[in-house]
């Protein structure tokens, strides 16, 4: 029985010979080494995933046993890596390729807390997001090394996660400013409402199509990141935006050439729309998802309600997205609820006249 191949790898039969190649969707084929168990194959496959186009044979240098490069090749043959979703695997592979290129010659046994901090993470001191992602991927490799017996303990224990600046929610003024710049009927305004009123990620908004909209004015979404299937009623503002928008393609938001956007292309296009609206650089598309959570919280939606719209799987995630909710308004609502609760507990009739109060207390043990 033929060996199961990694995702996006196919067997090609030409003139009695079988070849392996990498192909994503309808993209170009990239020839791979014929042995899917070899380290050369894994290096070539890793390069194809991140879009490297140089010759496999020119690039390949066999990894020395016990090195980080050899560990990466071993991890990429594991069920954990092969089982990743396509989008996750691409992100993993980019970071693993960077680790292999910059630190592949280092030995796994030589990894220590100090060497990880100074040798691997320090170059990203001015890029905390990249530092955090590098630490995450390195810890995955370390866990794999422990599982296969290359390490006995985790040398990254005690290393603090780099603090990154969180993407903030859009303010109400920024939301209104965008709407003033992009009126109903524009592609930018339609995309804006899909973000804000559905609270989804860019990877989901870019795939939304008219076929996902039900006759009851709801939209079916299968989140690309989580695989969760959602059915969300369309907000009346979204319905108004869709009715005013002249849709020429099954996909709702398309390029100027009437074709589907890539996720990165869509993000860049949305970034341009935000800039043309005169909004600051820290106003990001994902901030509209944060704004959706904030507005839901301010409207009195419970954490479970917010989870059902945004697609979160834990309460902690929902709470994180509502951190910027209107604290003053929520506090006022909370105090009003408390006052009403106390009022309901207060006796409705006076105790005066309901009985006679004793003039003196009973004696006990001969004392008053």
């Amino acid at each position: 029985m033929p060996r199961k191949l990694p995702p996006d790898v196919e067997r090609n039969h030409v003139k009695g010979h079988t070849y392996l190649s990498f192909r994503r969707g309808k993209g170009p084929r990239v020839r791979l080494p014929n042995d899917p168990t070899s380290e050369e194959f894994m290096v070539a496959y890793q390069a194809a995933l991140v879009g490297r186009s140089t010759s496999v044979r020119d690039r390949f240098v066999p990894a020395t046993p016990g090195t980080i490069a050899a560990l990466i090749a071993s991890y990429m043959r594991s069920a954990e890596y092969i089982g990743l979703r396509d989008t996750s695997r691409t992100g993993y592979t980019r970071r693993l390729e960077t680790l292999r290129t910059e630190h592949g010659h280092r030995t796994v046994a030589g990894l220590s807390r100090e060497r990880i901090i100074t040798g691997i993470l320090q170059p990203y001191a001015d890029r905390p997001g990249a530092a955090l992602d590098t630490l995450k991927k390195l810890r995955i490799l370390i866990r794999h090394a422990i599982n296969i017996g290359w390490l006995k303990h985790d040398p990254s224990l005690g290393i603090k996660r780099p603090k990154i600046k969180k993407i903030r929610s859009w303010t109400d003024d920024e939301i209104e400013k965008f709407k003033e710049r992009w009126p109903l009927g524009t592609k930018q305004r339609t995309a804006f409402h899909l973000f804000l009123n559905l609270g989804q990620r860019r990877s989901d908004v870019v795939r939304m199509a008219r076929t996902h909209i039900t006759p009851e004015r709801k939209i079916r979404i299968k989140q690309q990141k989580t695989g969760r299937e959602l059915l969300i009623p369309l907000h009346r503002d979204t319905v108004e935006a869709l009715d005013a928008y002249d849709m020429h393609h099954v996909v709702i938001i398309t390029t100027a050439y009437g074709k589907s956007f890539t996720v990165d292309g869509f993000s860049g296009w949305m970034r341009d729309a935000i800039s043309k609206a005169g909004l600051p650089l820290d106003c990001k598309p994902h901030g509209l998802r944060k704004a959706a959570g904030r507005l839901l919280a301010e409207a009195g939606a419970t954490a479970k309600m917010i989870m059902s719209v945004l697609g979160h799987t834990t309460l902690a995630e929902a709470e994180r997205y509502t951190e910027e909710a209107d604290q003053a308004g929520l506090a006022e609502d909370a105090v009003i609820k408390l006052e009403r609760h106390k009022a309901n507990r207060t006796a409705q009739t006076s105790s005066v006249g309901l009985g006679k109060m004793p003039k003196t207390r009973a004696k006990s043990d001969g004392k008053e």
Side-chain angles (χ1 to χ4, degrees):
M1 186 174 181
R3 178 185 177 87
K4 184 178 179 180
L5 297 174
D8 301 316
V9 176
E10 57 186 33
R11 289 186 174 88
N12 308 122
H13 304 283
V14 181
K15 296 181 179 179
H17 296 280
T18 300
Y19 303 96
L20 298 181
S21 61
F22 174 92
R23 191 182 191 191
R24 178 168 291 157
K26 296 183 179 180
R29 286 187 174 88
V30 178
R31 176 74 183 278
L32 299 174
N34 289 334
D35 183 4
T37 65
S38 68
E39 185 179 329
E40 182 182 7
F41 173 90
M42 295 312 301
V43 171
Y45 175 63
Q46 182 176 347
L49 279 170
V50 297
R52 296 281 292 274
S53 58
T54 55
S55 169
V56 171
R57 288 181 174 81
D58 292 343
R59 180 175 61 250
F60 176 70
V61 177
T64 304
T67 60
I68 291 177
L71 179 63
I72 291 173
S74 173
Y75 170 70
M76 293 182 70
R77 290 192 290 268
S78 69
E80 178 182 349
Y81 175 81
I82 294 173
L84 293 172
R85 292 186 178 88
D86 290 344
T87 51
S88 299
R89 193 183 311 110
T90 300
Y92 273 51
T93 304
R94 286 198 180 99
R95 186 59 60 188
L96 292 174
E97 174 67 7
T98 301
L99 283 169
R100 187 188 69 81
T101 302
E102 298 179 358
H103 307 286
H105 62 284
R106 302 178 187 272
T107 63
V108 176
L111 284 175
S112 65
R113 182 174 179 274
E114 181 181 1
R115 288 179 180 176
I116 291 173
I117 293 173
T118 59
I120 298 178
L121 299 180
Q122 185 60 35
Y124 300 108
D126 59 338
R127 290 174 288 164
L132 178 59
D133 189 49
T134 299
L135 180 60
K136 286 180 178 179
K137 301 306 182 290
L138 187 60
R139 281 177 166 160
I140 290 171
L141 291 174
I142 288 172
R143 185 171 65 243
H144 179 69
I146 293 173
N147 289 339
I148 63 177
W150 288 21
L151 286 174
K152 292 184 178 179
H153 69 282
D154 184 351
S156 71
L157 288 176
I159 298 178
K160 294 183 179 179
R161 292 163 57 97
K163 293 183 178 180
I164 60 175
K165 189 175 181 179
K166 295 180 180 179
I167 297 176
R168 66 170 180 83
S169 164
W170 287 31
T171 65
D172 291 342
D173 288 342
E174 289 165 343
I175 288 172
E176 291 304 316
K177 194 171 183 179
F178 188 94
K179 290 163 69 175
E180 289 173 7
R181 173 62 180 83
W182 301 108
L184 288 170
T186 61
K187 189 184 301 183
Q188 291 83 354
R189 179 66 171 270
T190 307
F192 164 85
H193 283 293
L194 294 177
F195 267 113
L196 179 64
N197 297 325
L198 294 173
Q200 301 304 305
R201 303 175 184 87
R202 58 177 186 159
S203 58
D204 299 316
V205 175
V206 73
R207 295 182 296 110
M208 289 180 184
R210 67 175 79 190
T211 53
H212 297 153
I213 301 174
T214 70
E216 298 78 25
R217 291 295 197 171
K218 298 180 180 180
I219 188 165
R220 293 188 181 277
I221 301 167
K222 184 174 182 179
Q223 293 187 318
Q224 189 170 15
K225 181 177 180 179
T226 65
R228 252 194 111 174
E229 295 188 3
L230 307 175
L231 180 63
I232 306 173
L234 292 176
H235 189 283
R236 60 173 174 263
D237 290 348
T238 307
V239 173
E240 184 182 17
L242 289 172
D243 288 343
Y245 176 58
D246 190 9
M247 203 182 310
H248 296 286
H249 194 280
V250 65
V251 176
I252 297 175
I253 305 299
T254 60
T255 68
Y257 303 100
K259 296 184 177 180
S260 301
F261 271 109
T262 63
V263 175
D264 289 339
F266 178 57
S267 184
W269 173 81
M270 195 67 189
R271 175 71 263 167
D272 290 341
I274 294 169
S275 298
K276 289 177 180 177
L279 298 177
L281 288 176
D282 63 345
C283 249
K284 299 183 182 297
H286 195 73
L288 286 170
R289 177 169 161 86
K290 290 286 188 75
R294 174 179 66 82
L295 292 171
L296 285 167
E298 290 175 2
T302 65
K304 293 234 173 185
M305 290 177 183
I306 295 170
M307 290 170 66
S308 69
V309 175
L310 302 188
H312 292 144
T313 56
T314 66
L315 286 171
E317 287 179 305
E319 289 169 354
R320 188 176 74 247
Y321 274 76
T322 58
E323 286 176 352
E324 297 177 52
D326 181 7
Q327 181 273 328
L330 292 175
E332 184 175 351
D333 290 343
V335 172
I336 289 173
K337 288 179 182 293
L338 180 62
E339 289 175 345
R340 288 174 179 170
H341 178 67
K342 285 186 176 180
N344 290 335
R345 294 182 60 184
T346 303
Q348 299 301 311
T349 56
S350 172
S351 61
V352 177
L354 295 181
K356 293 183 179 180
M357 298 295 291
K359 293 182 179 180
T360 58
R361 285 186 291 180
K363 296 181 180 181
S364 175
D365 299 328
K367 296 181 181 180
E368 292 187 352

